[in-house]
């Protein structure tokens, strides 16, 4: 299936590493004019070295005011990938107010904020997780942010649909990015997860990127408000 994003303007958050970085590069390869937003300048430098057409924006999405100013510089966009997130794992009884606030600020509030900057037709993909729909040990706050994100996706689909803006999410299983390695590097722990995935493996970055591209593209023109598992069947069982 050929997907072209020629003439489209795209914004990807959390584009310095992992899934966001691969998505920004894939969008650029498909012809989009890509703005890559993240908070570590060194990652943006190496990204622009890899793909000179990408416009870098360095801002911490936890900072509402700084994000507002940065978005004004970006201008109108057609395609938005709300990918940035943090995963502060800790046992439920140890969760602190700071960790809770930081996670909800980045994983939920910033998605609402960045998406409000959109005004014309197009497509938004929020990067959620299987953790939005299944309880995982030490993931209380992360699971709660992703569950909130799934519902935000649905209400955005409802309210932005009349503006011809589609809003969907992808909900991956574990992917061995920097974030994935933090939680799942221990082979014994990894086995407890892969044994519950019918396909018997974690997702590759590419698996997630391909689903994001599909939901951004006009190949999914009538798909609005879905939370698409990219999980090898984990959530089906
Ligand atoms: P990575 O940690 O590899 O990359 C996350 C990127 O987001 C980094 O570039 C990071 O920058 C950036 N980022 C984080 N916080 C902020 C912030 N406050 N402001 C701006 N940029 C920020 O994560 P993944 O690629 O693995 O995750 C991408 C998405 O996929 C996330 O939404 C995650 O929840 C989701 N996901 C990941 C899974 C996994 O197993 N990896 C499984 C399911 C869902 P910096 O490095 O400078 O902090």
């Amino acid at each position: 299936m050929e997907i072209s994003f020629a003439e489209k303007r795209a914004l990807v958050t959390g584009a310095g590493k992992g899934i966001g970085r691969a998505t920004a590069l894939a969008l650029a390869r498909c012809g989009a004019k890509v703005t890559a937003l993240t908070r570590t300048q060194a990652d943006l430098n190496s990204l622009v070295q890899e793909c000179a057409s990408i416009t870098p924006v360095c801002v911490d999405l936890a900072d509402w005011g700084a994000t507002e100013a940065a978005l004004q510089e970006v201008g109108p966009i057609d395609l938005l990938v709300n990918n940035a997130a943090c995963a502060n794992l800790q046992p439920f009884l140890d969760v602190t107010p700071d960790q809770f606030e930081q996670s909800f600020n980045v994983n939920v509030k910033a998605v609402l904020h960045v998406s409000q900057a959109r005004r014309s037709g197009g497509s938004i993909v929020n990067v959620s997780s299987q953790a939005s729909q299944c309880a995982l040990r030490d993931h209380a706050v992360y699971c709660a942010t992703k569950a909130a994100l799934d519902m935000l996706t649905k209400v955005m689909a409802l309210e932005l649909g009349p503006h011809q803006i589609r809003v969907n999410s992808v909900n991956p299983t574990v992917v061995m990015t920097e974030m994935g390695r933090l939680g799942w590097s221990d082979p014994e722990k990894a086995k407890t997860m892969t044994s519950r995935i019918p396909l018997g493996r974690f997702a590759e970055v590419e698996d997630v990127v391909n689903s994001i591209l599909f939901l951004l593209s006009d190949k999914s023109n009538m798909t609005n408000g879905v939370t698409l598992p990219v999980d090898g069947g984990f959530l089906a069982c």
Side-chain angles (χ1 to χ4, degrees), residues 13-20 37-40 43 59-62 83-86 102 106 127-130 142 146 172-180 184:
T13 71
K17 299 185 176 75
I19 294 165
L37 183 156
T38 193
R39 63 178 170 181
T40 300
D43 288 339
V59 72
D60 183 345
L61 289 165
N83 163 79
C86 55
Q102 165 75 9
V106 178
V127 182
S128 182
S129 168
Q130 66 181 12
Y142 184 76
K146 294 300 189 180
T173 185
V174 177
V175 187
M176 277 305 187
T177 59
E178 199 161 291
M179 181 187 287
W184 302 96

